[in-house]
Every structure is written in structure tokens, then in C-alpha cells.
Amino acid sequence: MKVGFIGAGRMATTIGRHFVGAGHEVVLSSSRGPEALAGLVADLGLAASAGSRQDAAECDVVILATNWADAPEALKDIDWSGRILVDGTNPHRGEKPDISASGVARSIAALAGRTSSEIVAAMAPGARLVKSISNMPMTWIQDFSPQKPKTVLFVSGDDRDAKALVVDLINSTGLIALDLGSLAEGGAMQQLGGSLSAVELHFVRRIVRE
């Protein structure tokens, strides 16, 4: 599968490395242009390349991996109709995230009762939007070995087929995708300040009852 990233920060490079290790291709993009990403791409290996936002948007799955404040600019001027877009943002107010309890409360209040992913969906009309990846710090999944912990990444969305594809993509890396349901209900649980935000879970085994 070919995965495009709009954004080339820690999320893109961390998840991108997991995807490359699972045999997928990745395309990184940023506002700095493809030339500025040469070092990052070389570090990820031959299955990685740099391109424009449009190049990233034409991949099988597109991951929005920018700061919340940069999302409107990152998503504009692209025809999102039918494209699978993964919202990997956290709705921190301002350029520098305030992760204090009061800062998180202010960020949530600014959403005015909507989930952050519903707002992102409105920025990318026609996209088959799935919320995932942003429920934990990327420092928690820096083990890229075959023996890495089966860390849980939550997935939410209203398009069943798009969500299933994202689940399969995450599971292919050795990480575990857990479906929380709809964009409104599941998205609220995993977004910034939600009950499952910044909760570290590892899949150990499944009990099958006869």
C-alpha cells in the first residue's frame, strides 16, 4: 500500500517507519517543499519518497500529520472526494501545545461541542475520514523491531470500508488497531482530553470462548 503524509514531523517519520518496515511505501510532504525532506526520506529507506501535498493526497491512504493550527492550509486546494484521509491531529490551540489540564480544557472548549475530527472532515469535504494515530505520544512507539509491543492505536470513523482498510494497515505493522465506532462517539473518546487519550494499552492475547 502507498501512504501519503501531509506533514513530515515526528508522527510522520515514526508511523512512516513502521509502515516501511511492513513493506508499504510512504510519501512525505511539507510546506518546506520536497527538497527539504531529503534527509528524512533517506533515513526511512528506499520505500520512502518526498513530494508535494498533492502527491501525498494521491496515495491509497493519506495521513494528516500537521499541527492543528496548520490543518486548514494543509488541506486546502485538494479534491478530497472519495479519498481516505486519516486525521492524526490533536486540537491544541496555538503553535505550541499547552498540555496542562487548563490548556487542554481550553482547547476542548474551543471545539464548541464538536469532535476535532468532525471539524477536520469539514475542512476536507468528500473525504472518507478516519480518526487514528494521535491518541498517544510518538515516543511510546519507537520500537521498530519484529518483537515490538503490540501497542493499541484507536480507530474511529463513519465509512466502514475506509476504517477497515486503516485497521488492516495498522495491524500489518505489528501494532494493533482497535475500532471505537463512529467519528462522533469514538472520536470523542480518543481525541485530546478524551477518556482514552494518552492511555497506553498493549494487546497480549485474545480469549476465545467455546
Side-chain angles (χ1 to χ4, degrees):
M1 195 176 299
K2 197 167 186 177
V3 183
F5 288 88
I6 297 181
R10 176 168 285 186
M11 173 179 287
T13 55
T14 298
I15 296 297
R17 190 177 298 279
H18 282 292
F19 290 157
V20 167
H24 304 290
E25 297 179 57
V26 299
V27 178
L28 301 184
S29 70
S30 85
S31 59
R32 295 175 291 158
E35 298 78 10
L37 304 179
L40 293 177
V41 166
D43 187 53
L44 288 174
L46 295 178
S49 62
S52 64
R53 289 186 303 121
Q54 186 63 47
D55 293 329
E58 291 174 359
C59 293
D60 301 311
V61 174
V62 190
I63 298 177
L64 178 61
T66 65
N67 291 330
W68 174 256
D70 298 328
E73 184 71 20
L75 293 170
K76 76 175 187 179
D77 298 329
I78 293 174
D79 181 3
W80 289 105
S81 300
R83 301 184 191 275
I84 298 176
L85 176 63
V86 177
D87 173 23
T89 64
N90 279 306
H92 294 287
R93 313 310 296 177
E95 292 292 338
K96 187 174 181 180
D98 182 353
I99 60 174
S100 68
S102 60
V104 169
R106 284 193 298 270
S107 294
I108 295 170
L111 298 177
R114 292 186 293 172
T115 66
S116 58
S117 290
E118 289 174 305
I119 295 173
V120 170
M123 297 178 192
R128 304 163 66 193
L129 196 115
V130 178
K131 174 67 172 175
S132 190
I133 301 172
S134 62
N135 62 281
M136 67 177 62
M138 293 294 100
T139 53
W140 291 2
I141 51 172
Q142 293 296 312
D143 184 346
F144 304 102
S145 70
Q147 294 77 36
K148 61 174 168 271
K150 294 184 179 297
T151 305
V152 172
L153 296 178
F154 300 116
V155 178
S156 305
D158 299 327
D159 186 308
R160 181 177 298 179
D161 292 339
K163 188 163 54 172
L165 190 147
V166 173
V167 166
D168 288 344
L169 177 63
I170 291 172
N171 287 345
S172 73
T173 68
L175 302 171
I176 300 295
L178 181 60
D179 185 356
L180 295 180
S182 70
L183 202 59
E185 294 182 1
M189 286 190 282
Q190 63 168 298
Q191 74 175 18
L192 179 69
S195 58
L196 293 176
S197 175
V199 175
E200 187 172 10
L201 299 175
H202 300 290
F203 185 88
V204 179
R205 64 174 62 90
R206 184 185 301 278
I207 298 175
V208 178
R209 300 188 184 279
E210 297 290 341

